Amino acid sequence: MEAIDAFFALWRDRLVDSDFRAGCPIVAVAVETNDDAPQLARSAAAVFASRQQALAALLLRHGLPEERSRRLAAFIIAAPEGAVIMCRAEQSTGPMEATAVEIHDLLAHALRDRPDQGQAPRP
């Protein structure tokens, strides 16, 4: 969870330091691609897939089932992306703060109630 917390802190800092102009360059590529450059959309999709796979693997090592790990990884990546957009629109870190708290609580609950509760994370 420390990595997730650090990720959200990084985004809060980036937003504030940029006067709420910062955004995710991968999202920019994904939403701005057109028929003339479909490889850009594929590249953006590959980056998101790589991040999702890495996060899912981490959750799996912490004892979550494979399907739940994949779903949570997708959500954990998607939620802050939406929060960045909301923060920019509102000129506030409020949406990022709310998203961070909810994801933190969700992960705490998921890890507490995992099928192998008593086992330590796998290396």
Side-chain angles (χ1 to χ4, degrees):
M1 288 232 257
E2 289 176 19
I4 300 294
D5 293 341
F7 174 76
F8 279 102
L10 173 76
W11 263 115
R12 281 188 299 271
D13 292 346
R14 288 181 82 189
L15 286 163
V16 170
D17 292 347
S18 72
D19 199 25
F20 296 94
R21 289 191 174 109
C24 178
I26 300 155
V27 170
V29 169
V31 300
E32 294 298 326
T33 57
N34 58 47
D35 294 337
D36 295 331
Q39 72 278 11
L40 295 176
R42 286 192 301 269
S43 294
V47 171
F48 281 125
S50 175
R51 290 180 177 180
Q52 185 177 348
Q53 290 168 357
L55 185 52
L58 177 65
L59 295 169
L60 188 63
R61 284 193 307 272
H62 279 79
L64 292 180
E66 186 172 345
E67 181 60 28
R68 181 83 196 272
S69 294
R70 280 196 305 269
R71 288 192 319 261
L72 278 173
F75 179 75
I76 291 167
I77 291 167
E81 296 294 354
V84 167
I85 294 165
M86 292 175 68
C87 288
R88 288 181 64 171
E90 296 176 18
Q91 298 287 290
S92 165
T93 59
M96 189 64 69
E97 300 291 340
T99 302
V101 168
E102 287 303 318
I103 287 178
H104 192 276
D105 289 351
L106 175 65
L107 282 174
H109 182 327
L111 293 171
R112 182 184 65 235
D113 295 341
R114 67 186 183 259
D116 67 344
Q117 295 176 36
Q119 296 178 11
R122 291 177 240 158

